[in-house]
Amino acid sequence: MNGKYIESDKTELKVRYSDTIVKEIVAFLNTEGGTIIIGVSDDGEIVGVSRVDETMQKLSDIITGQIEPNPQEIISTQLKFDEGKTLIVIDVPKGNRNIYCIKKYGFSSVGCPVRIGTTCREMTPQQIRARYELNILDHEYMLKVNAKYADISFRTFKVYYSEKGYHLSDSSIETNFNLRTEKGNYNLLAELLSDQNNIPLIFAKFKGRNKASISERSDYGHGCILLAYEKIKNRLTAENICVSDTSVRPRKDSYLFDLDCANEAVINAIVHNDWTVSEPLISFFEDRMEVFSHGGLPSGLSTEQFFGGVSKPRNATLMRIFMNMDITEHTGHGVPTIIERYGKEAFEITDSSIKCTIPFDEAVLSQIRSENVGLNVGLTDTEKKILKLLITEPKDSAASLSEKTGVSKRTAERALKSLREKDYISRSGSKRDGYWIVKK
């Protein structure tokens, strides 16, 4: 036997590539790590790899597509030359997650091997369950990613919590909501909750049924995600045109879309989005709205479970914050609500994204086209301007609105009063720390 290469609990020798190598990779990830050398027989004889490029491509496909969670950032593959022959060396560290699986088998015994000596053994269901539960607690990547914005403050966040009866100091906020990384830096969640940040939240309107021609692009982000969500919710309410049939009694009101479903789609997109990739996107077209989020289904959640309302939040801390604000519940009713109204076809799910499509009511669209129905009918120009401003800046005072619209403060105050009387807006919170809610 050649003493240069010997199999051990940390070294696996393979004379040639085979698809079963995924099992050894996952086993090393689930144990203490190790090295796989392709081109060496079990007795240590160097035979080399003949089709290097093809083998490297197959390995890349396995590492990026056949293992869950994706370990490509921690596994390295390199070529080594020995005795004039080419070897492929795969360095697999101990995984930074508590459990990995072969994707096609999922988190089952056959899908979750571990390394015992020089062999791979299947985990027991009890071992899988214990590790998986640890993964759920440790899967929030946004808690481990450093914030990119330096000026972190939480004044808006504290206002929201104080209105719910919570009184938080900066130090308690950081501790209670895990806003610092292990090294003490502010993390991505802290940036998402901060008064100012570099994270957009885009609402885009397109003229037709595709993205060929954009008519409006509004950014409601760059601040505390709770306020950003409030702005989006206001915008949805304002966009939901109501057409009334006064020929019947009682009067029948029809809306462009189901506001509850649209709101649930936005909440799900924010709470379950993979913010380490990018932000969600809300798009309005001539015939529908689309809510797009990154990350696909959370690890271990099947499509059937998703449609059935099983809740497995990707961002558990962010979910808890939205629950504390009574914005959402941990009941998973959002997806079934949308499916009941629009069917499973409302969702398009891939490994990296989820898109929810809310179609517009055809009868309302038809009446809008024929009668040129629009928003804000019966309002003065000043009221329309102020209403549009409040959608994006709900904390604006009468003085600020006066300056932005070019009218006197007294005129702005009268417009606000009129909008409240006409039930277009309402007030939440105190005069100093509260904000306006656009209702229609």
Side-chain angles (χ1 to χ4, degrees), residues 23 35 66 98 122 131 181 188 246 248-249 258 271 382 384-385 399 436-437:
K23 186 175 182 180
T35 301
Q66 296 186 30
N98 294 293
E122 295 177 358
R131 288 202 187 199
T181 65
L188 179 55
T246 57
V248 297
R249 292 289 182 271
D258 188 305
V271 172
T382 298
K384 291 177 182 179
K385 290 177 182 178
W436 296 101
I437 297 173

Side-chain angles (χ1 to χ4, degrees), residues 120-229:
C120 295
R121 300 284 180 84
E122 295 177 358
M123 286 190 199
T124 66
Q126 293 76 18
Q127 289 173 321
I128 293 170
R129 188 180 305 112
R131 288 202 187 199
Y132 189 78
E133 288 175 355
L134 287 174
N135 244 16
I136 294 300
L137 297 175
D138 191 39
H139 79 308
E140 292 188 76
Y141 290 144
M142 66 190 308
L143 303 183
K144 302 176 182 180
V145 176
N146 288 335
K148 296 180 181 178
Y149 196 80
D151 187 16
I152 300 286
S153 62
F154 304 106
R155 291 183 297 275
T156 304
F157 184 68
K158 284 191 287 187
V159 167
Y160 273 95
Y161 264 74
S162 67
E163 290 177 351
K164 292 293 181 180
Y166 301 93
H167 298 286
L168 302 171
S169 64
D170 284 345
S171 59
S172 64
I173 287 175
E174 293 176 12
T175 302
N176 292 340
F177 300 104
N178 307 311
L179 301 187
R180 289 190 181 271
T181 65
E182 292 181 356
K183 294 184 178 180
N185 301 315
Y186 278 119
N187 57 30
L188 179 55
L189 179 58
E191 184 173 0
L192 204 59
L193 299 175
S194 177
D195 297 312
Q196 291 181 301
N197 57 51
N198 290 321
I199 303 173
L201 189 57
I202 303 299
F203 180 101
K205 291 189 74 172
F206 299 89
K207 291 182 179 179
R209 300 193 176 193
N210 56 45
K211 294 186 177 181
S213 180
I214 188 169
S215 62
E216 182 184 346
R217 183 183 186 276
S218 302
D219 188 348
Y220 298 108
H222 299 284
C224 177
I225 189 63
L226 294 175
L227 179 58
Y229 160 72

Side-chain angles (χ1 to χ4, degrees), residues 96-111:
N96 52 20
R97 304 293 297 281
N98 294 293
I99 188 170
Y100 292 79
C101 74
I102 303 169
K103 186 179 286 188
K104 69 176 180 179
Y105 299 121
F107 291 98
S108 62
S109 290
V110 68

Side-chain angles (χ1 to χ4, degrees), residues 229 233 236-237 240 255 257-268 289 327 333-335 337-338 341-342 356 358:
Y229 160 72
K233 184 180 178 182
L236 291 177
T237 303
N240 197 19
Y255 288 88
F257 54 87
D258 188 305
L259 184 60
D260 288 339
C261 289
N263 186 49
E264 290 293 342
V266 170
I267 292 171
N268 285 342
M289 69 171 286
I327 295 172
H333 78 284
V335 171
T337 297
I338 296 170
R341 179 69 173 82
Y342 295 108
C356 179
I358 306 291

